[in-house]
Amino acid sequence: MSPLDISLADLIARLDEELPEADALARVSEARLRSQTLSDLGDQLIDHYVSRAKRNGASWTEIGDAIGVTKQAAQQRHTSNAFERFTNLNRHSIVLAQEAARTHRHDSIGTEHLLLGLLGEPRGLAYEVLVAHAGPEQRIRDAVREAMPPGGQKTPRGHIPFRPESKQAIEQALRAAAGLGHDWVGTEHSLLGLIRVEGSPAAGILNELGFTPDELRETVRAEVARRAAARG
């Protein structure tokens, strides 16, 4: 019995439905990309529950036993995780950024890919802010596409590393959350992180779309406060 309400038949049917004109080889390539995304989401699922287990007092030995690895392997895999406080939506945006880099045949994840990842998660606050102030969505995607470098000859396989400016953007997202007094790192904080990396492709795109770091920070602060008041 599968613990997930999903089957191989579902995955095949969806791919065939979304790519009706694709030939057999194109479907093989797309299937591999989707397999990688599923693998990344699986890793994030484990990370989520490892973090919860640690907060509940579980030891690394116990966590290693639950995963089926040694204590040392579990600790090395899950400590110092830059994405530990990222929300599920924001973690998904990172997966989408990796897939954007892969789709465009880039061998590293740039800030422009991170911006596409945020656009790919319409449930996130970053998406709402982007579209509300610079929409429609296609206009933003067109701006990102124009700023992208040429793709390589082959689609990269396996893990795709972050560029230095993307790592800086992730660090700035953590700082943005801390600066606003938030104990989570949402898509809105990642958006703030992107515009804070001066000279990066994403910062340039956001500037051209009419965003400034200070105004964007105030927009995020106000929107988070409004949502909190609505829930309360």
Side-chain angles (χ1 to χ4, degrees), residues 16-94:
D16 288 343
E17 179 182 350
E18 293 178 358
L19 300 175
E21 305 299 327
D23 61 23
L25 291 178
R27 297 189 188 205
V28 169
S29 178
E30 179 63 22
R32 185 183 61 78
L33 293 177
R34 297 191 183 198
S35 174
Q36 183 64 52
T37 299
L38 289 171
S39 177
D40 291 337
L41 287 173
D43 287 343
Q44 291 183 21
L45 178 66
I46 296 172
D47 286 345
H48 172 80
Y49 283 103
V50 166
S51 297
R52 180 179 292 184
K54 285 299 295 179
R55 290 195 298 269
N56 290 338
S59 69
W60 283 116
T61 298
E62 292 171 323
I63 291 173
D65 289 341
I67 299 174
V69 299
T70 65
K71 167 188 173 181
Q72 291 77 12
Q75 192 168 10
Q76 182 177 4
R77 168 67 178 82
H78 296 282
T79 53
S80 301
N81 182 2
F83 305 115
E84 182 176 1
R85 292 194 293 115
F86 275 42
T87 63
N88 289 337
L89 295 183
N90 206 12
R91 291 185 182 197
H92 186 224
S93 79
I94 297 296

Side-chain angles (χ1 to χ4, degrees), residues 190-211:
S190 286
L191 184 60
L192 290 174
L194 289 176
I195 202 170
R196 290 183 177 187
V197 184
E198 296 183 4
S200 69
I205 294 166
L206 292 170
N207 291 155
E208 290 179 3
L209 292 172
F211 291 99

Side-chain angles (χ1 to χ4, degrees), residues 180 192 212-224:
L180 290 169
L192 290 174
T212 66
D214 290 341
E215 290 176 352
L216 185 55
R217 182 182 185 279
E218 286 307 303
T219 297
V220 167
R221 183 195 62 76
E223 185 58 26
V224 170

Side-chain angles (χ1 to χ4, degrees), residues 82-83 86 90 93-94 97 109-115 118 162-178 185-204 206:
F83 305 115
F86 275 42
N90 206 12
S93 79
I94 297 296
I109 301 172
T111 57
E112 65 273 27
H113 303 117
L114 293 175
L115 184 54
L118 295 176
F162 291 99
R163 293 179 198 157
E165 63 266 26
S166 295
K167 294 180 180 179
Q168 185 180 350
I170 292 169
E171 293 174 0
Q172 288 295 336
L174 295 168
R175 293 179 183 178
V185 183
T187 60
E188 63 274 21
H189 303 115
S190 286
L191 184 60
L192 290 174
L194 289 176
I195 202 170
R196 290 183 177 187
V197 184
E198 296 183 4
S200 69
L206 292 170

